[in-house]
Amino acid sequence: MAQPSVVHQPIHPDIADKLLEEYAAFHNAHLAHTVPVHELPWDPAIRSTPAVLGGSEPLKVGAVKDYPLSKCSVRVFTPEGEPPAAGWPVFIFYHGGGWTLGNINTENAFSTNMCNRARCVVVSVDYRLGPEQPYPAAVEDAVEALQWVHTHGKELLGINPTQIAVGGSSSGGNLAAIVTHKAALAKPPIPLVFQLLVVPVTDNTASTTDSRYPSWQENANTVALVPAKMLWFRNNYSPNKEDWTKWDNSPIFAPEESFKKAPPAWIGVAELDILRDEGIAYGEKLKAAGVPVEVKVYKGAPHPIMAMDGAWKAGLTSTIC
C-alpha cells in the first residue's frame, strides 16, 4: 500500500474557518504536499515554474512583441482593432514573485485580460531579480520602463503618452507604487492617470512584532505567504536592513509632496494576507493627501488569490480588469 505523502503546508486551525472553501480545496489538492520555496536550497531554475499555481491561460490579443531596454526587457500586448485617434491608453505592469521569482511569462494571462478588457496596450516589465540583482536593480528597471514608454511609446507602440497607468501585484505592486512617486518627482514630472495595486508590499520594515500592521500577527499562520517566506523574499531582494526605510524600497515612506501628486488608486488586499494592513495604510495615506482611492478587501482570501483566476468558477480578476 502506498504511503500517504507528507503534508508540508497544512491549513492551520487559526484560519481554517475563515478561508474560502474553494481556495482550501485547491490548496489541499495542489499545494499542501509541496515543500515551500523558502525552505528549499536556492536554485534560479525554480523561476521556470509558475510563481503562483491556478492562473488562467493567456487570451488572444492583436499583437505581442518584446523590446530590450538597457538591463531588462518589456513585453508589449496590443489590442485587436484600430486605436483611438490620440493613440491607445497604456498600462505598465510589474509582476509579482517577491522580487525573486517570476519572469517575462509570469502574468501573461493578466496582461492579456487587461489588454482586452480595458482596451489598452499593456507593457509587462521583466525587471531584474534578487538575490543575483538586489535592490535597487528592480526599481531602476521599473523607472526605466516608465521613461521608455513615455518617451518612445507614441512612436513605437502607438500609445497616448497622456494616458499612462501603472500597476502590479505584490512585489510588483511595491514597484508600481514607487514608480508613481518617481514620476511625480521627475523633472519634468511624468503624468500618470491611475495606479492599480494588488496585494502590494508598501513597508519593508513590517514584521510580526509590528503593532502598526495587526495583519502580520493575525495572519501569522496563514497559507501561501507566511511571515518566514515574506522575510526570505525581502532578504533576497534587499539584504541591507538600512535600505528598508528608503522610500524607493518602502513607498509608504515617500515624501508628502509626491503623495499629493499621486494618481487615483485602486488597492486590492486579501483578508488573510499578512500584507493586508500595510496595503490599507497606504490607501489611507493617499486619501489623506487628497488622492481618490478605492480599497477592496477580499474576505476569506489569502495573498495569491487574485493571480489564481483559472482555479475559480468565477475568477476574481473580473473585478479588477
Side-chain angles (χ1 to χ4, degrees), residues 67-74 92 94 123 125-128 136-153 175 178-179 182-183 190:
Y67 292 84
L69 302 186
S70 66
K71 295 179 180 178
C72 71
S73 62
V74 296
I92 304 174
Y94 305 98
V123 177
V125 184
D126 192 24
Y127 57 88
R128 287 170 290 166
V139 176
E140 293 168 352
D141 294 346
V143 173
E144 183 186 4
L146 170 64
Q147 293 169 336
W148 180 82
V149 168
H150 185 249
T151 303
H152 302 291
L175 295 173
I178 290 165
V179 161
K182 294 281 189 178
I190 298 176

Coordinates of all heavy atoms in Angstrom, one line a residue, residues 67-74 92 94 123 125-128 136-153 175 178-179 182-183 190:
Y67 N 10.6 44.0 -26.3 CA 11.6 45.1 -26.6 C 12.7 45.1 -25.6 O 12.4 45.0 -24.4 CB 10.9 46.5 -26.6 CG 9.9 46.7 -27.7 CD1 8.6 46.3 -27.5 CD2 10.2 47.4 -28.8 CE1 7.6 46.5 -28.5 CE2 9.3 47.6 -29.8 CZ 8.0 47.2 -29.7 OH 7.1 47.4 -30.7
P68 N 13.9 45.2 -26.0 CA 15.0 45.3 -25.0 C 15.2 46.7 -24.4 O 15.0 47.7 -25.2 CB 16.2 44.9 -25.8 CG 15.9 45.4 -27.2 CD 14.4 45.2 -27.4
L69 N 15.4 46.8 -23.1 CA 15.8 48.1 -22.5 C 17.3 47.9 -22.1 O 17.9 47.0 -22.6 CB 14.9 48.4 -21.3 CG 13.4 48.5 -21.6 CD1 12.7 48.9 -20.3 CD2 13.1 49.4 -22.7
S70 N 17.8 48.8 -21.3 CA 19.2 48.8 -21.1 C 19.7 47.5 -20.3 O 20.7 46.9 -20.6 CB 19.7 50.0 -20.4 OG 19.2 50.1 -19.1
K71 N 18.9 47.1 -19.3 CA 19.3 46.0 -18.4 C 18.1 45.0 -18.2 O 18.3 44.0 -17.5 CB 19.8 46.5 -17.1 CG 21.0 47.3 -17.2 CD 21.5 47.8 -15.9 CE 22.8 48.6 -16.0 NZ 23.3 49.2 -14.7
C72 N 17.0 45.2 -18.9 CA 15.9 44.2 -18.8 C 15.1 44.3 -20.1 O 15.6 44.9 -21.1 CB 15.0 44.5 -17.6 SG 14.0 46.0 -17.7
S73 N 14.0 43.7 -20.2 CA 13.1 43.8 -21.4 C 11.7 44.0 -21.0 O 11.3 43.9 -19.8 CB 13.3 42.5 -22.2 OG 12.8 41.4 -21.5
V74 N 10.9 44.4 -22.0 CA 9.4 44.5 -21.7 C 8.7 43.7 -22.8 O 9.2 43.5 -23.9 CB 9.0 46.0 -21.7 CG1 9.6 46.8 -20.6 CG2 9.3 46.7 -23.1
I92 N 1.3 50.0 -17.6 CA 2.6 49.4 -17.4 C 2.5 48.5 -16.1 O 2.1 48.9 -15.1 CB 3.7 50.5 -17.1 CG1 3.7 51.4 -18.3 CG2 5.0 49.8 -16.9 CD1 4.7 52.6 -18.0
Y94 N 3.9 45.4 -13.5 CA 5.1 44.8 -12.8 C 4.6 43.5 -12.1 O 3.7 43.6 -11.2 CB 5.7 45.8 -11.8 CG 6.1 47.1 -12.4 CD1 5.2 48.2 -12.3 CD2 7.3 47.2 -13.1 CE1 5.6 49.4 -12.9 CE2 7.6 48.4 -13.7 CZ 6.8 49.5 -13.6 OH 7.1 50.7 -14.2
V123 N 2.2 47.0 -21.1 CA 3.7 46.8 -21.1 C 4.1 46.1 -19.8 O 4.0 46.6 -18.7 CB 4.4 48.2 -21.2 CG1 5.9 48.0 -21.2 CG2 3.9 48.9 -22.5
V125 N 6.8 44.3 -17.5 CA 8.3 44.6 -17.3 C 9.0 43.4 -16.7 O 8.6 42.9 -15.6 CB 8.5 45.8 -16.4 CG1 10.0 46.2 -16.3 CG2 7.7 47.0 -16.9
D126 N 10.0 42.9 -17.4 CA 10.8 41.8 -16.9 C 12.0 42.3 -16.1 O 13.1 42.1 -16.5 CB 11.3 40.9 -18.1 CG 11.9 39.6 -17.7 OD1 11.5 39.1 -16.7 OD2 12.7 39.1 -18.5
Y127 N 11.7 42.9 -15.0 CA 12.7 43.6 -14.2 C 13.7 42.5 -13.6 O 13.4 41.4 -13.4 CB 12.1 44.4 -13.1 CG 11.1 43.7 -12.2 CD1 11.6 43.1 -11.0 CD2 9.8 43.7 -12.4 CE1 10.7 42.5 -10.1 CE2 8.9 43.0 -11.6 CZ 9.4 42.4 -10.4 OH 8.5 41.8 -9.6
R128 N 14.9 43.0 -13.2 CA 15.9 42.1 -12.7 C 15.5 41.7 -11.3 O 14.8 42.4 -10.5 CB 17.3 42.9 -12.6 CG 17.9 43.0 -14.0 CD 19.1 43.9 -13.9 NE 18.7 45.3 -13.7 CZ 19.6 46.3 -13.3 NH1 20.8 46.0 -13.1 NH2 19.1 47.5 -13.2
P136 N 18.9 48.3 -5.6 CA 17.8 48.9 -6.3 C 17.6 48.5 -7.8 O 16.9 49.2 -8.5 CB 18.1 50.4 -6.2 CG 19.6 50.4 -6.4 CD 20.1 49.2 -5.7
A137 N 18.1 47.3 -8.2 CA 18.0 47.0 -9.6 C 16.6 47.0 -10.1 O 16.3 47.5 -11.2 CB 18.7 45.6 -9.8
A138 N 15.7 46.3 -9.4 CA 14.3 46.3 -9.9 C 13.7 47.7 -10.0 O 12.9 47.9 -10.9 CB 13.5 45.4 -8.9
V139 N 14.0 48.5 -9.0 CA 13.5 49.9 -9.1 C 14.0 50.6 -10.3 O 13.3 51.3 -11.0 CB 13.8 50.7 -7.8 CG1 13.4 52.1 -7.9 CG2 13.2 50.0 -6.6
E140 N 15.3 50.5 -10.6 CA 15.9 51.1 -11.7 C 15.2 50.7 -13.0 O 14.9 51.5 -13.9 CB 17.4 50.8 -11.8 CG 18.2 51.4 -10.6 CD 19.6 50.9 -10.5 OE1 19.9 49.9 -11.3 OE2 20.4 51.4 -9.7
D141 N 14.9 49.4 -13.1 CA 14.3 48.8 -14.3 C 12.8 49.3 -14.4 O 12.3 49.6 -15.5 CB 14.3 47.3 -14.3 CG 15.7 46.7 -14.4 OD1 16.6 47.5 -14.8 OD2 15.9 45.5 -14.1
A142 N 12.1 49.4 -13.3 CA 10.8 49.9 -13.2 C 10.7 51.3 -13.7 O 9.8 51.6 -14.5 CB 10.2 49.7 -11.8
V143 N 11.6 52.1 -13.3 CA 11.6 53.5 -13.7 C 12.0 53.7 -15.1 O 11.4 54.5 -15.9 CB 12.5 54.4 -12.8 CG1 12.7 55.8 -13.3 CG2 12.0 54.4 -11.3
E144 N 13.0 52.9 -15.6 CA 13.4 53.0 -17.0 C 12.2 52.6 -17.9 O 12.0 53.2 -19.0 CB 14.6 52.1 -17.3 CG 15.0 52.2 -18.7 CD 16.2 51.2 -19.1 OE1 16.5 50.4 -18.3 OE2 16.6 51.3 -20.2
A145 N 11.4 51.6 -17.5 CA 10.3 51.2 -18.3 C 9.3 52.3 -18.5 O 8.8 52.6 -19.6 CB 9.6 49.9 -17.7
L146 N 9.0 53.0 -17.4 CA 8.1 54.2 -17.5 C 8.7 55.2 -18.4 O 8.0 55.8 -19.2 CB 7.9 54.7 -16.1 CG 7.1 56.1 -16.0 CD1 5.7 55.9 -16.5 CD2 7.2 56.6 -14.6
Q147 N 9.9 55.6 -18.2 CA 10.6 56.6 -19.0 C 10.5 56.2 -20.5 O 10.3 57.0 -21.4 CB 12.0 56.8 -18.6 CG 12.1 57.5 -17.2 CD 13.5 57.5 -16.6 OE1 14.3 56.6 -17.0 NE2 13.8 58.4 -15.7
W148 N 10.8 54.9 -20.8 CA 10.8 54.4 -22.2 C 9.4 54.6 -22.8 O 9.3 55.0 -23.9 CB 11.3 53.0 -22.2 CG 11.3 52.4 -23.5 CD1 12.3 52.5 -24.5 CD2 10.4 51.5 -24.1 NE1 12.0 51.8 -25.6 CE2 10.8 51.1 -25.4 CE3 9.1 51.0 -23.7 CZ2 10.1 50.3 -26.3 CZ3 8.4 50.1 -24.5 CH2 8.9 49.8 -25.8
V149 N 8.4 54.2 -22.1 CA 7.0 54.3 -22.6 C 6.7 55.7 -22.8 O 6.1 56.1 -23.9 CB 6.0 53.6 -21.6 CG1 4.6 53.9 -22.0 CG2 6.2 52.1 -21.6
H150 N 7.0 56.6 -21.9 CA 6.6 58.0 -22.0 C 7.3 58.6 -23.2 O 6.8 59.5 -23.9 CB 7.0 58.7 -20.7 CG 6.5 60.2 -20.7 ND1 7.4 61.2 -20.7 CD2 5.3 60.7 -20.7 CE1 6.8 62.4 -20.7 NE2 5.5 62.1 -20.7
T151 N 8.6 58.3 -23.4 CA 9.4 58.9 -24.4 C 9.2 58.3 -25.8 O 9.1 59.0 -26.8 CB 10.9 58.8 -24.1 OG1 11.1 59.4 -22.8 CG2 11.8 59.5 -25.1
H152 N 9.1 57.0 -25.9 CA 9.1 56.3 -27.1 C 7.8 55.6 -27.5 O 7.6 55.1 -28.6 CB 10.2 55.2 -27.2 CG 11.6 55.8 -27.0 ND1 12.2 56.6 -27.9 CD2 12.5 55.6 -25.9 CE1 13.4 56.9 -27.4 NE2 13.6 56.4 -26.2
G153 N 6.9 55.6 -26.5 CA 5.7 54.8 -26.7 C 4.8 55.3 -27.8 O 4.2 54.4 -28.5
L175 N 6.7 48.0 -6.6 CA 7.4 48.8 -7.7 C 6.5 49.8 -8.3 O 6.9 50.9 -8.6 CB 8.0 47.8 -8.7 CG 9.0 46.9 -8.2 CD1 9.4 45.9 -9.3 CD2 10.3 47.6 -7.8
I178 N 6.1 52.8 -6.1 CA 7.3 53.6 -6.1 C 7.4 54.4 -7.4 O 7.8 55.6 -7.4 CB 8.5 52.6 -6.0 CG1 8.6 52.1 -4.6 CG2 9.9 53.4 -6.3 CD1 9.5 50.9 -4.4
V179 N 7.0 53.8 -8.5 CA 7.1 54.5 -9.8 C 6.2 55.7 -9.8 O 6.5 56.7 -10.4 CB 6.7 53.5 -10.9 CG1 6.3 54.3 -12.2 CG2 7.9 52.6 -11.2
K182 N 8.2 58.4 -8.2 CA 9.3 58.7 -9.1 C 8.8 59.6 -10.2 O 9.4 60.6 -10.6 CB 10.0 57.5 -9.7 CG 10.7 56.6 -8.6 CD 12.1 57.2 -8.3 CE 12.9 56.2 -7.5 NZ 14.2 56.7 -7.2
A183 N 7.6 59.3 -10.7 CA 7.0 60.1 -11.8 C 6.7 61.5 -11.4 O 6.9 62.5 -12.1 CB 5.8 59.4 -12.4
I190 N 6.3 63.1 -14.9 CA 5.6 62.2 -15.9 C 4.2 62.0 -15.5 O 4.0 61.5 -14.4 CB 6.4 60.9 -16.1 CG1 7.8 61.1 -16.6 CG2 5.6 60.0 -17.0 CD1 8.6 59.9 -16.6

